[in-house]
Amino acid sequence: MRAIEYTEAGGPDVINVATRPVPQPGPGEVLIKVAAAGLNRADVAQRRGVYPPPAGESDIPGLEVSGTVVERGPGVQIGQGYDDGAHVCALLAAGGYAEYVVAPVAQTVPVPAGVSLVDAAGLPEAAATVWSNLVMEAGIEPGERLLVHGASGGIGSAAIQIMTAYGVDVAVTGSTAGKLEYARELGADVVIDYGAEDFVERIREATNDRDEPGADVILDVVGAKYLERNVEALGTGGRLVVIGMTGGARAELDLSKLMARRGRIIATTLRARPAEEKARIMQEVREHVWPMITHKHLTVTTDRVFGLSQARESHEYFDSGEHRGKVLLVVD
């Protein structure tokens, strides 16, 4: 089969189309003929040499796919929804940038009704990241105020829609008027141009009807660069959820400010979680997020589609930061 590999750490020029053996499904796994794979920041971090795959996993990048079940491993029975020809999408630890991939059944879910097989590739990672971090980890509740940094990407687009449908008030930061308008169209009620406005002041203005203004939860992909300001933007009992480090990994923090807010900092990754945790996350996603798609509260936001042989071009576009929603690789 064709698969994408990184010849070394670096920019998009290290991406290469290679030939690999078709993997075989083990116990509790299915073999998926890939229709499309979603691009994620983790793929870029792996390409740059700073986020290797977990031990024992494939070096082929790709954390989410959609496709067709073509083979079942031991223990996967006919009639469980994973028969040959079933359309599914899956959350992976690695291996998605290929013509075939094996996935644990527990991390594989049917493609939601009304979503194309290709577009479904952009759902697992974003939906799992948003639901696991904001609901399962931070315990966000309807009526609370969420601040999302990086709102026009795949995670941000999903966070706006899922949390709005969940009854949360959503504020976002963005770098251009176009990206902020896009976020507003998805449901954000407060949009902040971080280059021209102070997001701490804006989030406090948006919550000035409270005794103690501030965000209840912040979803952050920036990391060190925003740490101090994020804490200042929290309200009493606020939770800062860090899921990325595009702005660095090291920063100083005045703990007295965090303690004064009775705040919490939660830092997570999805890729390295144990299989049983990923299975529980995907079960909750299927139970809570998939109905949002059925009832039109959540739409798939595919920005651009590239062929598998255009993986290098897809990463160049992703690195530009111009995308709004998901970038996908289709098996051409």
Side-chain angles (χ1 to χ4, degrees):
M1 68 174 186
R2 288 179 303 151
I4 299 302
E5 63 181 13
Y6 302 147
T7 57
E8 58 183 325
D13 57 301
V14 305
I15 295 173
N16 182 56
V17 181
T19 300
R20 298 286 187 92
V22 175
Q24 298 301 305
E29 295 179 333
V30 291
L31 177 65
I32 299 172
K33 187 179 189 299
V34 176
L39 270 69
N40 291 281
R41 290 184 186 275
D43 306 335
V44 174
Q46 180 178 335
R47 190 198 75 212
R48 292 172 176 167
V50 296
Y51 193 39
E57 297 292 346
S58 171
D59 65 315
I60 298 170
L63 306 185
E64 59 183 346
V65 298
S66 61
T68 304
V69 174
V70 293
E71 190 176 338
R72 297 175 303 278
V76 183
Q77 303 298 322
I78 293 177
Q80 294 181 338
Y82 303 100
D83 301 345
D84 290 351
H87 286 182
V88 297
C89 50
L91 181 69
L92 311 168
Y97 287 19
E99 292 183 309
Y100 292 89
V101 69
V102 293
V105 163
Q107 295 168 214
T108 305
V109 293
V111 171
V115 178
S116 75
L117 186 57
V118 168
D119 283 339
L123 284 172
E125 179 77 11
T129 296
V130 170
W131 191 263
S132 65
N133 282 290
L134 296 181
V135 179
M136 300 172 71
E137 296 284 351
I140 200 167
E141 296 285 350
E144 289 194 305
R145 167 65 69 181
L146 168 68
L147 173 61
V148 179
H149 294 302
S152 62
I155 299 296
S157 299
I160 295 168
Q161 295 183 83
I162 293 170
M163 288 296 101
T164 298
Y166 195 57
V168 171
D169 298 322
V170 181
V172 303
T173 64
S175 59
T176 68
K179 290 182 178 181
L180 293 176
E181 181 57 32
Y182 167 78
R184 193 185 294 279
E185 290 172 358
L186 291 180
D189 63 306
V190 175
V191 297
I192 304 166
D193 180 347
Y194 65 76
E197 302 175 282
D198 185 330
F199 71 81
V200 177
E201 292 182 2
R202 285 294 311 280
I203 202 66
R204 291 192 169 279
E205 289 173 2
T207 54
N208 61 10
D209 57 332
R210 304 181 181 185
D211 291 336
E212 298 180 56
D216 296 296
V217 180
I218 299 174
L219 184 65
D220 177 52
V221 298
V222 179
K225 181 179 177 181
Y226 274 9
L227 179 60
E228 182 179 5
R229 299 294 284 158
N230 276 333
V231 170
E232 291 174 355
L234 288 175
T236 302
R239 291 85 78 197
L240 167 60
V241 184
V242 182
I243 60 170
M245 297 181 294
T246 60
R250 290 178 174 271
E252 291 189 2
L253 176 63
D254 183 345
L255 288 174
S256 66
K257 293 182 178 180
L258 186 65
M259 294 172 70
R261 291 164 172 77
R262 300 195 299 277
R264 285 178 281 162
I265 298 176
I266 303 166
T268 74
T269 61
L270 181 60
R271 184 182 197 181
R273 292 189 186 219
E276 57 271 18
E277 287 189 23
K278 291 182 181 178
R280 182 165 59 91
I281 290 168
M282 290 306 291
Q283 180 180 351
E284 291 217 11
V285 164
R286 183 176 181 180
E287 179 181 350
H288 297 285
V289 179
W290 264 216
M292 295 178 183
I293 299 173
T294 302
H295 293 98
K296 310 299 182 184
H297 299 306
L298 169 62
T299 59
V300 181
T301 54
T302 300
D303 176 277
R304 190 173 294 187
V305 174
F306 294 83
L308 187 65
S309 59
Q310 298 174 303
R312 182 177 299 182
E313 291 87 344
S314 74
H315 272 240
E316 289 172 349
Y317 178 63
F318 193 93
D319 285 355
S320 75
E322 295 302 316
H323 59 286
R324 303 177 190 176
K326 294 295 293 193
V327 179
L328 304 180
L329 276 179
V330 173
V331 176
D332 47 347

